[in-house]
Short mmCIF file of all heavy atoms in Angstrom, two decimals:
data_model
loop_
_atom_site.label_atom_id
_atom_site.label_comp_id
_atom_site.label_asym_id
_atom_site.label_seq_id
_atom_site.Cartn_x
_atom_site.Cartn_y
_atom_site.Cartn_z
N LEU A 132 -16.79 -6.39 3.96
CA LEU A 132 -15.60 -6.75 3.19
C LEU A 132 -14.61 -7.32 4.20
O LEU A 132 -14.26 -6.66 5.18
CB LEU A 132 -14.99 -5.54 2.49
CG LEU A 132 -13.65 -5.78 1.79
CD1 LEU A 132 -13.81 -6.75 0.62
CD2 LEU A 132 -13.07 -4.48 1.27
N ILE A 133 -14.21 -8.56 3.97
CA ILE A 133 -13.28 -9.22 4.88
C ILE A 133 -12.08 -9.70 4.07
O ILE A 133 -12.22 -10.49 3.13
CB ILE A 133 -13.95 -10.42 5.60
CG1 ILE A 133 -15.16 -9.92 6.40
CG2 ILE A 133 -12.96 -11.14 6.49
CD1 ILE A 133 -16.07 -11.01 6.92
N LEU A 134 -10.89 -9.18 4.45
CA LEU A 134 -9.65 -9.60 3.80
C LEU A 134 -8.78 -10.30 4.84
O LEU A 134 -8.69 -9.85 5.98
CB LEU A 134 -8.91 -8.38 3.22
CG LEU A 134 -9.68 -7.56 2.19
CD1 LEU A 134 -8.87 -6.35 1.77
CD2 LEU A 134 -10.03 -8.40 0.97
N THR A 135 -8.13 -11.37 4.45
CA THR A 135 -7.33 -12.16 5.39
C THR A 135 -5.93 -11.58 5.59
O THR A 135 -5.53 -10.67 4.88
CB THR A 135 -7.20 -13.61 4.90
OG1 THR A 135 -6.57 -13.58 3.62
CG2 THR A 135 -8.54 -14.29 4.82
N GLU A 136 -5.20 -12.17 6.55
CA GLU A 136 -3.83 -11.76 6.85
C GLU A 136 -2.88 -12.32 5.81
O GLU A 136 -2.08 -13.20 6.09
CB GLU A 136 -3.41 -12.30 8.22
CG GLU A 136 -3.80 -11.45 9.37
CD GLU A 136 -3.26 -12.01 10.68
OE1 GLU A 136 -2.14 -12.54 10.70
OE2 GLU A 136 -3.98 -11.91 11.68
N ALA A 137 -2.97 -11.80 4.59
CA ALA A 137 -2.09 -12.24 3.52
C ALA A 137 -1.87 -11.06 2.59
O ALA A 137 -2.63 -10.09 2.62
CB ALA A 137 -2.73 -13.40 2.77
N SER A 138 -0.84 -11.14 1.76
CA SER A 138 -0.58 -10.05 0.83
C SER A 138 -1.77 -9.91 -0.12
O SER A 138 -2.33 -10.90 -0.59
CB SER A 138 0.68 -10.34 0.02
OG SER A 138 0.86 -9.32 -0.94
N LYS A 139 -2.14 -8.67 -0.39
CA LYS A 139 -3.29 -8.41 -1.25
C LYS A 139 -2.96 -8.60 -2.73
O LYS A 139 -3.85 -8.58 -3.58
CB LYS A 139 -3.81 -6.97 -1.03
CG LYS A 139 -4.00 -6.57 0.44
CD LYS A 139 -4.90 -7.49 1.21
CE LYS A 139 -5.05 -7.10 2.65
NZ LYS A 139 -4.33 -7.91 3.60
N VAL A 140 -1.67 -8.80 -3.05
CA VAL A 140 -1.24 -8.99 -4.43
C VAL A 140 -2.00 -10.15 -5.09
O VAL A 140 -2.30 -10.11 -6.27
CB VAL A 140 0.29 -9.25 -4.51
CG1 VAL A 140 0.71 -9.74 -5.88
CG2 VAL A 140 1.05 -7.99 -4.18
N GLY A 141 -2.33 -11.17 -4.29
CA GLY A 141 -3.00 -12.35 -4.84
C GLY A 141 -4.48 -12.16 -5.14
O GLY A 141 -5.10 -13.03 -5.75
N LEU A 142 -5.06 -11.04 -4.72
CA LEU A 142 -6.49 -10.83 -4.96
C LEU A 142 -6.75 -10.56 -6.44
O LEU A 142 -5.92 -9.94 -7.11
CB LEU A 142 -7.00 -9.64 -4.13
CG LEU A 142 -6.99 -9.82 -2.61
CD1 LEU A 142 -7.33 -8.50 -1.92
CD2 LEU A 142 -7.97 -10.90 -2.19
N PRO A 143 -7.90 -10.99 -6.95
CA PRO A 143 -8.23 -10.73 -8.36
C PRO A 143 -8.29 -9.22 -8.62
O PRO A 143 -8.83 -8.47 -7.82
CB PRO A 143 -9.61 -11.35 -8.54
CG PRO A 143 -9.88 -12.15 -7.32
CD PRO A 143 -8.94 -11.72 -6.25
N GLY A 144 -7.68 -8.80 -9.72
CA GLY A 144 -7.68 -7.38 -10.08
C GLY A 144 -6.54 -6.59 -9.43
O GLY A 144 -6.42 -5.39 -9.65
N PHE A 145 -5.71 -7.24 -8.64
CA PHE A 145 -4.55 -6.61 -8.01
C PHE A 145 -3.27 -7.06 -8.71
O PHE A 145 -3.23 -8.15 -9.27
CB PHE A 145 -4.41 -7.05 -6.54
CG PHE A 145 -5.31 -6.33 -5.57
CD1 PHE A 145 -6.69 -6.41 -5.66
CD2 PHE A 145 -4.77 -5.60 -4.53
CE1 PHE A 145 -7.52 -5.78 -4.75
CE2 PHE A 145 -5.58 -4.96 -3.60
CZ PHE A 145 -6.96 -5.04 -3.72
#
Side-chain angles (χ1 to χ4, degrees):
L132 173 65
I133 300 169
L134 301 177
T135 59
E136 275 184 36
S138 176
K139 311 305 179 255
V140 168
L142 294 172
F145 280 62

